[in-house]
Amino acid sequence: MIANFSTVVLGRFSWDVNSRELYRLDKNDEHYAKKCVLTPKQHQLLTCLIDAYPSTLKKEQIIEKVWGSKHISQESLPQLINRTRQSLEDGNKSILVNEPGIGYSLNFTPVVSDRTTKTAPCMPDNDDTSTSTQPMMESQLSNAPSVSIRHPLWCALLGCLFFGLILNLWKLTTAIYYQQDFLDVLNAKPYPEMTKGQDGIIHLTIDNHECTYYKTQLLLQCP
């Protein structure tokens, strides 16, 4: 039975029954780019309900198909049903339908594929081929999900590079600004008449003046 439903619509999602990935139908939905991935147990649950369509599957039958002969608690099936409803955003319980006292059934819409489109047509002229292929490619490109390059890791990396560039420019500017002062100190000649006393006191002559330099206080006194 499942072979007749290769693709179905479950509420807001389109589902290929051979895959565990569900895709949103509404492109205007803010979560459109996010796909829903079913767990293996959720996939088995939905698959067995599609197999039983349009009949309602009893709880014991669902447990046998999903868990096999494995012993489970009484809460295992209700918990699986609740998690699957959350994944399908089935708040009103209209997709996974509970038949009181019996079991569950699945409310879905089959997507009927046009098999004639898969049949190879007669070979058209070259001009017809180019004009028919181009709209198909444009349609596929327009339906492809967009990829954003604004990744947090890239943003952090670019921020660090920009900060490092600004810091290096500031250090370079400071070095250029104090370059002449450094050269003056480097090329300065010592005073010819300078004697070093005790406790860091230095006596020297500056422009015929006897001066005293207190090294510990960084103080220069000249009469």
Side-chain angles (χ1 to χ4, degrees), residues 10-24:
L10 299 174
R12 300 179 180 179
F13 298 92
S14 173
W15 176 42
D16 180 355
V17 298
N18 296 316
S19 169
R20 292 196 289 118
E21 298 178 349
L22 283 73
Y23 295 89
R24 292 182 180 273

Side-chain angles (χ1 to χ4, degrees), residues 5-75:
F5 304 118
S6 60
T7 305
V8 299
V9 174
L10 299 174
R12 300 179 180 179
F13 298 92
S14 173
W15 176 42
D16 180 355
V17 298
N18 296 316
S19 169
R20 292 196 289 118
E21 298 178 349
L22 283 73
Y23 295 89
R24 292 182 180 273
L25 297 172
D26 187 4
K27 294 183 179 180
N28 297 324
D29 194 326
E30 61 178 348
H31 302 295
Y32 173 72
K34 297 181 180 179
K35 63 184 178 181
C36 174
V37 180
L38 299 171
T39 65
K41 286 288 188 293
Q42 290 175 336
H43 183 262
Q44 293 174 5
L45 170 66
L46 297 180
T47 300
C48 71
L49 291 178
I50 287 183
D51 284 338
Y53 180 83
S55 303
T56 299
L57 203 60
K58 296 181 180 180
K59 297 180 180 180
E60 294 79 8
Q61 293 174 316
I62 297 176
I63 294 174
E64 176 64 26
K65 292 181 179 295
V66 175
W67 283 276
S69 58
K70 183 179 179 180
H71 178 73
I72 62 172
S73 65
Q74 296 181 352
E75 298 298 324

Side-chain angles (χ1 to χ4, degrees), residues 1-7 110-111 115:
M1 197 74 178
I2 190 173
N4 296 331
F5 304 118
S6 60
T7 305
V111 177
R115 296 183 180 273

Side-chain angles (χ1 to χ4, degrees), residues 18-195:
N18 296 316
S19 169
R20 292 196 289 118
E21 298 178 349
L22 283 73
Y23 295 89
R24 292 182 180 273
L25 297 172
D26 187 4
K27 294 183 179 180
N28 297 324
D29 194 326
E30 61 178 348
H31 302 295
Y32 173 72
K34 297 181 180 179
K35 63 184 178 181
C36 174
V37 180
L38 299 171
T39 65
K41 286 288 188 293
Q42 290 175 336
H43 183 262
Q44 293 174 5
L45 170 66
L46 297 180
T47 300
C48 71
L49 291 178
I50 287 183
D51 284 338
Y53 180 83
S55 303
T56 299
L57 203 60
K58 296 181 180 180
K59 297 180 180 180
E60 294 79 8
Q61 293 174 316
I62 297 176
I63 294 174
E64 176 64 26
K65 292 181 179 295
V66 175
W67 283 276
S69 58
K70 183 179 179 180
H71 178 73
I72 62 172
S73 65
Q74 296 181 352
E75 298 298 324
S76 296
L77 179 58
Q79 290 176 357
L80 177 60
I81 294 293
N82 290 335
R83 290 195 301 268
T84 307
R85 281 173 172 165
Q86 292 176 1
S87 299
L88 298 175
E89 300 179 9
D90 185 20
N92 56 4
K93 302 179 181 180
S94 60
I95 301 176
L96 278 174
V97 182
N98 180 21
E99 299 293 339
I102 302 178
Y104 294 90
S105 62
L106 188 65
N107 182 20
F108 63 94
T109 303
V111 177
V112 180
S113 60
D114 188 1
R115 296 183 180 273
T116 58
T117 59
K118 298 182 180 180
T119 305
C122 297
M123 295 299 294
D125 296 336
N126 293 334
D127 294 340
D128 293 338
T129 302
S130 60
T131 56
S132 62
T133 304
Q134 183 176 1
M136 182 186 304
M137 295 178 62
E138 292 178 353
S139 175
Q140 292 175 351
L141 291 175
S142 62
N143 293 330
S146 59
V147 180
S148 175
I149 62 175
R150 296 181 179 178
H151 196 280
L153 182 59
W154 283 108
C155 293
L157 180 59
L158 291 176
C160 292
L161 292 177
F162 180 75
F163 177 76
L165 178 62
I166 295 298
L167 182 61
N168 288 333
L169 288 176
W170 178 78
K171 290 184 177 181
L172 177 61
T173 304
T174 304
I176 295 175
Y177 180 80
Y178 290 105
Q179 180 182 11
Q180 189 59 44
D181 293 341
F182 174 77
L183 293 177
D184 292 341
V185 174
L186 182 64
N187 298 325
K189 297 181 180 179
Y191 291 104
E193 299 180 4
M194 182 175 64
T195 58

